Amino acid sequence: MISQTAHVTMPYHRLIDVASEEQRGNYKIGTTGRGIGPTYADKSERTGIRMLDLMDLEGFREQLEWTIHHKNVILEKLYNLPPLNPQDVIDEYHVYAERLRPHVVDSSLKIYEGLHKRKNILFEGAQGTLLDLDHGTYPYVTSSSPIAGGACVGTGVGPTAIDRVIGVAKAYTTRVGEGPFPTEMVDGVGAILGERGAEFGTTTGRKRRCGWFDAVIGRYAVRINGLDCLAVTKLDVLDELEEIKVCVAYEVDGERCIDFPKNSRIFARCKPIYETLPGWKQSTEECRNLEDLPQQALDYLKFLADLMEVPIAIVSLGAGRDQTIIVEDPIHGPKRGLLSVDGTPA
């Protein structure tokens, strides 16, 4: 099903996205070039085209003719690009509309009906906390709110309907695109993590930047999202390492900082302060229970849970469904997980 109020990315959005990024030169923000930012800009400007507009051919035609005239001025005058033909766009998108029509619904109503039938409803967020438009490393962010609170805004569900929030974090840190990254390692261990973890962007295939786990960012994500528990993935990627570092704080301008700085210029000056833990130097891919994990791996997970003050409920050791260790039920569990908040082993 597709929400009838979802905004539609048009050809001019993609053209403007790519052209704008090229003009930024050294100030690129790392956009995917798929037109997402310009689509959100039109949404805020109240000139966007929604799925319900796309379903109404005559209304779509009237709206698009004015919009394309306006966008053509930008394409020609600002970016030296050829103008778009409104009829060509209408014809192309009319085909899409007819294919999608059976799937377009009032998604908020559908979810509301499910809630009343006491169905289990899972909201899955894309991207990460530091890509949030309001709470991320602005301007190196996406155009939406991928934090937990964004689920309510995007779906039209009240916050009291949310029972539990589960965070997902890799056993190390990655970032795709531009922006500050204090624990990044451009070669050596970073290259190992990238290769073993198959770190390539889902949308664009771009190579992800890799670094040690950043607990400063982790604590910030716990706070901003109101996490009840955590799922730690790709623990197996660390299997071959002699030692593993964790960033526990930053040094910025000679001072120790344990809280995430909102100013991206300050964040770019942050130097990681590490604590080093021993690696386990053995494969964890065949582990199916906590007792199967090497003690050093358990110690690492407990260290992360203690630093972030959130219990770990799930540990993933590979892409297979059977490579996931459920420490406790992340939905109905007692919020103890691998480690309770006070640091006592569960």
Side-chain angles (χ1 to χ4, degrees):
M1 300 179 185
I2 303 171
S3 171
Q4 61 184 2
T5 57
H7 280 251
V8 181
T9 296
M10 306 299 295
Y12 45 79
H13 290 136
R14 296 193 295 271
L15 292 169
I16 291 172
D17 196 6
V18 173
S20 174
E21 183 78 343
E22 288 178 352
Q23 281 196 358
R24 285 178 174 270
N26 294 332
Y27 300 96
K28 290 182 179 181
I29 59 176
T31 174
T32 62
R34 301 299 176 91
I36 306 302
T39 303
Y40 271 94
D42 279 6
K43 176 181 178 180
S44 297
E45 259 192 353
R46 291 154 293 179
T47 59
I49 293 174
R50 301 182 295 174
M51 289 301 299
L52 54 84
D53 301 317
L54 192 62
M55 298 298 107
D56 175 10
L57 181 58
E58 288 307 310
F60 175 58
R61 183 189 303 276
E62 292 177 8
Q63 186 176 1
L64 194 64
E65 285 179 348
W66 178 88
T67 302
I68 285 194
H69 172 74
H70 174 70
K71 298 299 182 181
N72 277 343
V73 173
I74 297 174
L75 291 171
E76 292 182 275
K77 303 298 183 182
L78 186 58
Y79 298 119
N80 295 315
L81 293 173
L84 292 169
N85 183 311
Q87 190 58 50
D88 289 345
V89 178
I90 291 170
D91 292 343
E92 178 187 357
Y93 275 68
H94 178 59
V95 175
Y96 302 153
E98 293 310 307
R99 289 182 62 184
L100 296 173
R101 188 179 299 278
H103 307 286
V104 177
V105 300
D106 183 341
S107 57
S108 178
L109 176 60
K110 291 290 183 181
I111 296 170
Y112 181 78
E113 291 171 347
L115 287 169
H116 271 260
K117 294 177 181 177
R118 303 192 65 80
K119 290 187 176 182
N120 289 326
I121 299 173
L122 174 68
F123 299 105
E124 181 185 5
Q127 303 168 314
T129 298
L130 291 196
L131 292 178
D132 187 89
L133 181 61
D134 294 298
H135 302 287
T137 50
Y138 192 90
Y140 306 103
V141 294
T142 189
S143 304
S144 59
S145 294
I147 61 170
C152 296
V153 178
T155 61
V157 172
T160 55
I162 307 297
D163 296 311
R164 202 153 159 90
V165 182
I166 306 166
V168 181
K170 295 172 186 173
Y172 50 96
T173 304
T174 64
R175 179 165 194 146
V176 66
E178 306 299 323
F181 187 176
T183 67
E184 180 179 14
M185 297 173 288
V186 295
D187 52 20
V189 175
I192 294 173
L193 297 178
E195 181 179 350
R196 285 183 53 81
E199 295 297 350
F200 299 94
T202 303
T203 302
T204 63
R206 289 183 297 177
K207 188 176 181 180
R208 290 195 182 105
R209 301 152 65 191
C210 299
W212 296 118
F213 190 92
D214 191 325
V216 179
I217 294 173
R219 286 191 297 267
Y220 178 67
V222 170
R223 172 165 63 88
I224 292 296
N225 292 282
L227 298 185
D228 289 297
C229 61
L230 195 65
V232 175
T233 66
K234 296 193 173 185
L235 183 67
D236 57 297
V237 174
L238 305 179
D239 284 353
E240 297 181 356
L241 302 182
E242 289 277 0
E243 60 180 29
I244 302 168
K245 295 182 179 181
V246 177
C247 174
V248 297
Y250 298 143
E251 179 188 331
V252 55
D253 300 334
E255 296 186 3
R256 184 184 176 95
C257 174
I258 61 172
D259 296 313
F260 174 72
K262 289 292 186 67
N263 187 319
S264 291
R265 290 174 62 85
I266 294 176
F267 187 40
R269 299 202 303 271
C270 288
K271 299 177 181 178
I273 298 174
Y274 290 117
E275 288 197 26
T276 302
L277 286 77
W280 41 95
K281 291 291 291 180
Q282 65 184 87
S283 175
T284 59
E285 293 182 5
E286 300 301 321
C287 296
R288 297 296 179 266
N289 300 287
L290 278 184
E291 309 85 69
D292 300 333
L293 288 174
Q295 185 58 50
Q296 294 90 335
L298 280 172
D299 291 344
Y300 178 69
L301 292 169
K302 291 175 182 178
F303 185 72
L304 298 186
D306 189 40
L307 274 176
M308 293 185 293
E309 299 184 340
V310 65
I312 295 174
I314 298 172
V315 180
S316 174
L317 302 162
R321 287 181 179 272
D322 63 339
Q323 291 180 293
T324 300
I325 298 175
I326 306 298
V327 183
E328 71 173 24
D329 184 338
I331 306 299
H332 305 105
K335 300 185 182 181
R336 290 188 308 145
L338 185 65
L339 196 72
S340 60
V341 172
D342 64 2
T344 305

